[in-house]
Each structure stands twice: as structure tokens, then as C-alpha cells.
Amino acid sequence: MLDILDSKEIYNKVDALRLKKGWTIYELAKRAGISSTSIYNWRNRLSSPTLSMLDAICSAFEITVIDFLLDEDELLTLTQEQKELMNLWNTLSAEQKKSIISLMKSM
């Protein structure tokens, strides 16, 4: 699993995915709905990505944050049911996620 506190490691993985798609930083930013300056600042270590920024980038790549953070072999260890839950979770709005968490805590 990627260290979510290591912004350089996360940037390197984002950059590898970006290059695989043949996108420029500007194109990735546009697809993710964030500023290219944010990505450049992150690359130059002037800032770190926020979770919402990482989520937007993952959405641009059409993957989940979990898929992004986990190594391939770690993802394969999830059961089909867990994968389905993660995929459903990623379709929820922030308010819906909050409601689900509250519901689960009450169980």
C-alpha cells in the first residue's frame, strides 16, 4: 500500500498513470477539475495533495482511491463482496457517505 503521507510517492504513481494515458499535466488537471498549478506545486513539493484532490485525480483515471493506494496483489485479496462495497461507496455523495457511516456506527 502506498504511504498516504508520502506525497512524492503518490505523485510518482499519478505521474506514471498520466504518462501511460499520454496526458499532459494540464490535461490531467482539466479532466480532474483541479488547477494545473496545484499539480505543479505538488510535483515541486510546495504542497501535498488533499484527499479531495486525490479523489478527483482518481476519478479522471476512472479508478477508485482504494484501487490507487493498494498494490495489485493487495487489491486481489479483497473479497468480491468487499470490492462491490468499495465500488458502491465511490458512487455516493459526501452526504450519503456520512449517513452510511452514522448508520454503521449505530449497529
Side-chain angles (χ1 to χ4, degrees):
M1 176 183 266
L2 282 176
D3 180 354
I4 60 173
L5 299 178
D6 186 344
S7 65
K8 182 179 179 183
E9 183 180 358
I10 292 174
Y11 178 81
N12 289 340
K13 187 162 183 179
V14 166
D15 205 43
L17 290 169
R18 177 186 67 79
L19 292 171
K20 187 176 179 180
K21 295 271 191 186
W23 297 347
T24 63
I25 289 176
Y26 175 78
E27 187 170 2
L28 171 59
K30 185 177 176 183
R31 288 173 182 264
I34 58 177
S35 73
S36 55
T37 302
S38 295
I39 296 175
Y40 283 113
N41 284 341
W42 175 24
R43 180 189 69 183
N44 298 331
R45 293 182 171 179
L46 300 175
S47 67
S48 295
T50 62
L51 187 53
S52 62
M53 180 180 177
L54 188 56
D55 185 48
I57 289 170
C58 288
S59 292
F61 289 128
E62 297 180 342
I63 61 173
T64 66
V65 174
I66 295 298
D67 291 337
F68 176 80
L69 293 175
L70 292 179
D71 294 329
E72 290 290 323
D73 57 332
E74 291 175 312
L75 187 58
L76 295 176
T77 62
L78 294 178
T79 66
Q80 188 58 38
E81 188 177 54
Q82 289 169 324
K83 289 177 187 178
E84 183 179 359
L85 283 171
M86 292 308 303
N87 288 331
L88 290 170
W89 176 262
N90 289 317
T91 65
L92 299 175
S93 69
E95 189 60 37
Q96 289 170 322
K97 288 177 182 178
K98 197 175 185 182
S99 295
I100 294 294
I101 290 171
S102 294
L103 174 67
M104 291 179 78
K105 285 181 177 179
S106 71
M107 297 177 132

